[in-house]
Amino acid sequence: MTEEKNLVSDSEYLRKVLLSPVYDVAKNTDLQYMQRLSQAMGNEVWLKREDQQPVKSFKLRGAYNCISQLSDEALQKGVIAASAGNHAQGVAYSAFKKKIRATIVMPETTPDIKVEAVRSFGGDWVNIILHGTSFDAASDEAKRLAAEYGYTMIPPFDTPDVIAGQGTIARELLEQNPHLDTLFIAVGGGGLAAGIAVFIKQLKPDIKIVAVEAEDSSCFKAALVAGKPVTLPSVGIFADGVAVKTMGQETFRLCERFVDEVITVNSDEICAAIKEIFEDTRVIAEPAGALSIAGIRKYVLENNIKDQKLAGILCGANINFHTLRYVSERCELGEQKEAVFAVRIPERKGAFKEFCDILGKQAITEFNYRFSTGKTAHIFVGIKLRRGKDEYKEITDKLDQQDYKWFDMSDNEIAKLHVRYMVGGRPPSLLNERLYSFEFPEQPGALLNFLTTLGEQWNITLFHYRNHGAAEGLVLAGFDVPEAERITFSQHLEKLGYYFEDQSENPAYKFFLSDLNGVF
């Protein structure tokens, strides 16, 4: 933790926010009333439109404010940042406006669309360096270059001037709607939440502030438990704008004091929020940008909130177009308007029709089935829920009354990400199969590199890979590993350097792809 004597006081943050020159480049963005969502939620819901910034995210505020505080000597030497996302674009645009040299170090795996965006915002004032296959490698290279050439590092979140720049959003919010009851803010490294919270709580302490994190990247929640920032072993890749393993020291100090509550949302809930924002505004938010709305939906439903004034920050809209395929597939699960089931039916003529007859006029969203030579068949079925939990219970009661064996896969990530595309495939003979999910850097030739690194010592028995337009590739792979070789195999995987998880006991795998009696 920062030494006490070096801490920036609350009143100093107030001064920094009020005197920030961000409006040289940034816009005072709209606070838009979400009419459709407000009616559905039974509350007033407002959305702060940071997608209206020139770089389509709030990051411009912090980057420009930080650069503006530098001495003439530091500006002459130039600045440097490590980022593959919105911070890089904010620094690039700020450098262009300030007419100073900026170096942006990005991982080699960064999608071309993001590299081109940085180049277009920075023009001739920005030098882009692609280095390493991870953010950590890019960050280390940026630090090395800063030390060698005297560049000033512009951190993405953990420094007072960046925090104060983000805090200018709070100033606008209080001017636009000072009567808010609760404000929901996405948290990655914590710069946005810290800047807004330290400002608002000094002027309107009755406004409740709720931090919203992605379930698989909840570094603030982990820090609260530990009493200090801790490093997560891994982070999710879908909401890449908040995929931060370690929260900042200064951002944690402020958030711990001024944020009232923290909640987490999963990928399906984020997809549902992207859809909600689109339907009200016709804007397509990036996953991190939709976190606050996902938080509002979850918070209202879990706490039965009514007739309150709620606001969220649409903190960014730099979405990879290919990600929309994933969003479209998953949004109705997040809205609890769809459920997916694994069901065992008899393997005989007419059994498929009998099953559909029992469901009646239910809208089927997905149905996967393949003939089996045994006495039973396993199906993967998606069902649209127009009436939510009541309709869900009616469906499951019908299945129970007809003695169908079933289980709900709506929350099974392996089922939704991989198994739904593989239903019906079973080994012709018994194997010593072990199943693993992997993540690896996505780049040209990435799949071949992954397979080459994996090696040929063990036979691959199952493989599924689908490109989702993200920075990480996701693979589900099975291997024929005799019992006597399990330890050696585990040691081999550890040496590869890829993040992986053993999925051998996952019920979706056991039900559809492994042992016929693996679940029931």
Side-chain angles (χ1 to χ4, degrees), residues 461-474:
T461 57
L462 175 155
F463 199 89
H464 181 257
Y465 160 76
R466 191 169 182 226
N467 187 310
H468 286 89
E472 299 289 327
L474 302 178

Side-chain angles (χ1 to χ4, degrees), residues 25 49 138 149 192 228 250 262 362 411 431 469 473 493:
V25 295
R49 294 280 307 277
Y149 295 104
L192 179 64
K228 62 180 180 180
E250 177 66 354
V262 58
Q362 296 291 156
D411 293 325
L431 298 172
L493 292 185

Side-chain angles (χ1 to χ4, degrees), residues 70-79 100-101 150-152:
L70 298 179
S71 66
D72 290 341
E73 181 182 359
L75 291 173
Q76 190 172 4
K77 290 182 178 179
V79 299
I100 63 168
R101 297 293 174 186
Y151 302 146
T152 298

Side-chain angles (χ1 to χ4, degrees), residues 45-214:
V45 181
W46 299 81
L47 189 64
K48 183 64 170 165
R49 294 280 307 277
E50 283 301 289
D51 63 288
Q52 294 175 340
Q53 297 297 353
V55 299
K56 308 302 180 186
S57 91
F58 75 98
K59 287 286 189 177
L60 175 60
R61 297 174 184 260
Y64 189 81
N65 188 60
C66 188
I67 290 173
S68 296
Q69 311 306 318
L70 298 179
S71 66
D72 290 341
E73 181 182 359
L75 291 173
Q76 190 172 4
K77 290 182 178 179
V79 299
I80 190 169
S83 171
N86 293 337
H87 180 60
Q89 296 178 37
V91 172
Y93 190 80
S94 299
F96 173 78
K97 288 295 185 178
K98 284 285 204 181
K99 298 296 182 282
I100 63 168
R101 297 293 174 186
T103 300
I104 308 292
V105 186
M106 312 175 82
E108 295 169 2
T109 56
T110 305
D112 290 343
I113 188 173
K114 293 187 176 183
V115 177
E116 290 305 315
V118 172
R119 185 172 286 116
S120 67
F121 284 127
D124 295 336
W125 294 96
V126 171
N127 176 36
I128 298 173
I129 296 176
L130 300 180
H131 181 87
T133 59
S134 68
F135 172 76
D136 289 340
S139 180
D140 289 342
E141 177 66 5
K143 292 172 184 175
R144 186 191 71 79
L145 292 171
E148 181 175 351
Y149 295 104
Y151 302 146
T152 298
M153 284 286 296
I154 306 299
F157 48 83
D158 198 27
T159 190
D161 289 327
V162 169
I163 293 169
Q166 322 303 23
T168 57
I169 294 174
R171 175 183 176 181
E172 296 169 19
L173 278 169
L174 292 183
E175 293 171 349
Q176 291 165 325
N177 192 340
H179 306 296
L180 295 173
D181 294 301
T182 308
L183 177 62
F184 293 78
I185 310 172
V187 171
L192 179 64
I196 291 176
V198 71
F199 188 90
I200 281 183
K201 285 296 187 178
Q202 291 184 77
L203 300 180
K204 288 279 290 184
D206 55 318
I207 295 179
K208 186 175 185 178
I209 295 179
V210 178
V212 187
E213 292 190 286

Side-chain angles (χ1 to χ4, degrees), residues 321-375:
F321 185 79
H322 296 294
T323 304
L324 296 177
R325 177 175 56 189
Y326 177 90
V327 173
S328 178
E329 287 176 356
R330 304 290 284 269
C331 61
E332 292 205 333
L333 284 166
E335 292 177 305
Q336 297 182 352
K337 293 181 179 178
E338 182 186 23
V340 292
F341 298 95
V343 185
R344 178 185 291 172
I345 66 174
E347 185 63 276
R348 58 173 169 75
K349 292 181 179 179
F352 179 23
K353 183 178 183 301
E354 288 174 10
F355 175 78
C356 292
D357 286 342
I358 289 169
L359 292 180
K361 294 183 178 180
Q362 296 291 156
I364 305 297
T365 58
E366 182 170 1
F367 201 102
N368 295 312
Y369 160 78
R370 189 173 185 273
F371 175 80
S372 172
T373 57
K375 295 182 179 180

